[in-house]
Amino acid sequence: MEGRLVLKNCSIFRADGRGRLGMAIIIEDGRIRRVAPDAEVPVLPGDWEVSCRGRLVTPGLVDCHSHLVGDLLVPPSGELLLHPPQVRLEHERRLSSLLSAADVEVLSRYAMARALRSGVTLAVEHLSCPGDVAGGLDAQARAAEQLGLRLVTSHATHTRDGADKAEAQAQANADFVRRRGSHPLVRGALGFHSSWTSGDSLLRRLAELREASGAPIIFHLSEGDHDLASTWEQHSQRVVPRLEAFGLLGPLSVAAYARAVDDAESLRLAQSGTCVALSPGAALLVEPSGRALETLLGRQNLMGLGSGGHGNLWDALSAALVTVVGAARGSRLVDPDGVLVQLFADGPAELCSRLFGVPSGAVEEGRLADLVVFDFVPAVDVNSGQVPYLLGQLGRSRVAWSIVDGRVTVREGQVLGMDEVVLAREAAEVLSGLWARAQRPETEAPEDLVRGG
């Protein structure tokens, strides 16, 4: 887009409710160039003016741990969630093993369109496409560039299918990271599934690849008691010390879930600078417990919310509210609203800044131009000058505009250049075909049984 993008008559408030009315924002070359009172910012020839009409403009949302494809591929039904983790994993493996790169691209386009319309401007993705790791990651990159979503994507490699296959998948993941090392919008990260599904050879190789590339790395950390028990049985270690010994913690590590960590492990995570991506919605469904949040908060860990394959970020925020209020009622947390701001805004902004090397997460000059305009005109408390319970009000408001790296991706509620109904229909066709193929071996009896052998 040539010229400047100028947002006029904006309301700009932070997640804690403090801010200003009647402001203008100038965006140029993917950065916020100026923020000033509306009357001080003229619209020049060649500018693209967006009339916000008093609506709220915020930094875009960061989904710190997403399963864009997995959330569509394996809908979290109640019947499935009642099964043990090993059974759920086998179901997921069976479906993901059938994915082609073309399937990933179709499903990613639809999932990314939905993410943009919910206000997400950066997704930190954990893809499982073991049959074609390189093709799957490239497909996600194409989809993100096409829709304009900022993306950091990795592969959830594990050793359940053998060490040789895991080695090949890790190398394909590393090759993708190398190709995307400095891309302004889409970058690669190394990845593995979890401690309980990954052998020493894989973790050692990933540590070598990370040392050589300096790339981020994404993984599930202490998924639950099953992860803890299995890791101890196989390696005589708890999860955090094991991963730390391989050098897999650090400022560019994104550790998802962290449901089974103790105080000492929380301190290790904090000292290493590891970002912990919590998915409280998944936690309430899979292994209900608020202990991880309380333990991590006590050590001032960097934390952010992730959808984790269970709905979207607003669902995660609602689940986080339930969790922190319960802890506050038990006198284990003193500032539930502050915790939500940290999880939903402050922590994710820091993660985005680390991953792309540019300040983000605020409507301020010099920051990344990843912004969302909500169909919400704030009412300000005259005594405090704040908007009460801003996050809760935004959760009930439609996203009107999304801007990523200075590019408009959603305009008045519609994804630009895409028909979302067409995307949904294409995704439905892919999913129906995959589910049918996955069920076929179960429904077709072997020939020897048919003959009575």
Side-chain angles (χ1 to χ4, degrees):
M1 183 186 67
E2 297 182 0
R4 309 180 306 173
L5 178 63
V6 183
L7 278 58
K8 298 283 286 181
N9 191 17
C10 307
S11 298
I12 302 174
F13 283 80
R14 302 184 311 190
D16 61 8
R18 295 181 175 87
R20 296 167 288 176
L21 301 169
M23 304 297 292
I25 304 167
I26 296 177
I27 296 170
E28 196 171 19
D29 297 327
R31 301 289 183 272
I32 299 173
R33 295 303 182 194
R34 189 181 178 195
V35 180
D38 202 70
E40 297 178 11
V41 178
V43 178
L44 305 178
D47 288 347
W48 182 0
E49 179 185 0
V50 177
S51 177
C52 293
R53 297 179 291 163
R55 291 179 291 186
L56 184 73
V57 179
T58 74
L61 307 183
V62 176
D63 190 337
C64 297
H65 185 75
S66 66
H67 290 269
L68 294 169
V69 172
D71 191 21
L72 296 172
L73 194 63
V74 189
S77 70
E79 191 276 333
L80 180 62
L81 291 170
L82 290 174
H83 286 291
Q86 294 84 348
V87 174
R88 295 198 302 270
L89 177 63
E90 290 307 310
H91 180 65
E92 294 166 9
R93 284 178 59 200
R94 185 173 189 178
L95 287 167
S96 63
S97 69
L98 300 173
L99 283 169
S100 68
D103 296 333
V104 169
E105 189 161 358
V106 169
L107 297 177
S108 294
R109 275 200 303 264
Y110 177 50
M112 290 174 184
R114 295 202 305 180
L116 285 167
R117 285 210 304 114
S118 72
V120 170
T121 54
L122 165 61
V124 181
E125 168 73 348
H126 212 197
L127 172 69
S128 180
C129 182
D132 188 359
V133 173
L137 293 172
D138 282 333
Q140 284 205 310
R142 286 192 300 271
E145 289 182 271
Q146 188 177 11
L147 277 91
L149 177 72
R150 191 178 296 278
L151 179 73
V152 175
T153 185
S154 65
H155 189 262
T157 300
H158 55 73
T159 53
R160 286 300 181 96
D161 297 318
D164 291 342
K165 287 186 178 180
E167 165 76 21
Q169 291 173 14
Q171 187 59 55
N173 192 168
D175 292 341
F176 175 80
V177 170
R178 176 179 47 78
R179 295 195 304 272
R180 289 279 172 169
S182 59
H183 193 279
L185 192 70
V186 180
R187 303 224 175 148
L190 299 170
F192 64 96
H193 179 263
S194 63
S195 174
W196 71 287
T197 60
S198 300
D200 285 354
S201 60
L202 172 61
L203 299 187
R204 191 176 299 112
R205 181 57 178 152
L206 286 169
E208 294 170 353
L209 292 169
R210 184 188 191 187
E211 179 69 21
S213 65
I217 187 162
I218 299 167
F219 51 88
H220 295 176
L221 176 79
S222 293
E223 282 190 337
D225 292 338
H226 68 282
D227 190 356
L228 195 62
S230 181
T231 297
W232 185 266
E233 180 182 2
Q234 296 177 56
H235 308 285
S236 300
Q237 284 182 293
R238 289 175 65 92
V239 175
V240 173
R242 180 178 183 231
L243 300 186
E244 183 181 42
F246 282 103
L248 297 175
L249 305 182
L252 291 180
S253 299
V254 184
Y257 303 135
R259 298 186 190 118
V261 294
D262 60 21
D263 287 334
E265 291 167 333
S266 177
L267 180 59
R268 290 183 178 191
L269 292 169
Q271 291 173 338
S272 69
T274 300
C275 177
V276 180
L278 298 176
S279 297
L284 289 173
L285 288 169
V286 175
E287 190 168 339
S289 171
R291 68 187 187 206
L293 176 59
E294 298 162 34
T295 302
L296 293 162
L297 278 171
R299 297 299 183 183
Q300 298 300 306
N301 283 271
L302 176 66
M303 295 183 292
L305 286 182
S307 57
H310 289 73
N312 61 29
L313 271 187
W314 297 106
D315 298 323
L317 179 65
S318 297
L321 174 63
V322 171
T323 302
V324 300
V325 168
R329 284 179 174 153
S331 300
R332 300 187 301 275
L333 290 177
V334 295
D335 182 14
D337 290 334
V339 171
L340 293 180
V341 170
Q342 180 182 350
L343 292 175
F344 199 69
D346 296 346
E350 173 63 22
L351 176 60
C352 180
S353 299
R354 290 182 183 184
L355 293 173
F356 285 88
V358 179
S360 65
V363 187
E364 297 175 357
E365 294 171 5
R367 303 290 181 117
L368 277 178
D370 292 358
L371 302 174
V372 176
V373 181
F374 286 92
D375 264 343
F376 171 70
V377 178
V380 179
D381 185 313
V382 294
N383 294 318
S384 66
Q386 298 183 24
V387 178
Y389 190 42
L390 180 59
L391 291 181
Q393 296 190 68
L394 287 183
R396 298 188 289 269
S397 302
R398 186 185 72 138
V399 170
W401 293 68
S402 285
I403 299 160
V404 183
D405 199 37
R407 168 187 168 184
V408 175
T409 59
V410 175
R411 180 171 60 191
E412 297 301 347
Q414 300 298 314
V415 178
L416 283 187
M418 295 284 171
D419 184 333
E420 197 170 348
V421 175
V422 172
L423 296 182
R425 188 171 65 244
E426 292 172 347
E429 291 173 357
V430 167
L431 291 171
S432 295
L434 285 168
W435 294 337
R437 287 163 57 196
Q439 293 170 359
R440 202 165 294 146
E442 296 177 352
T443 57
E444 294 179 359
E447 189 174 350
D448 58 344
L449 291 180
V450 173
R451 293 173 178 171

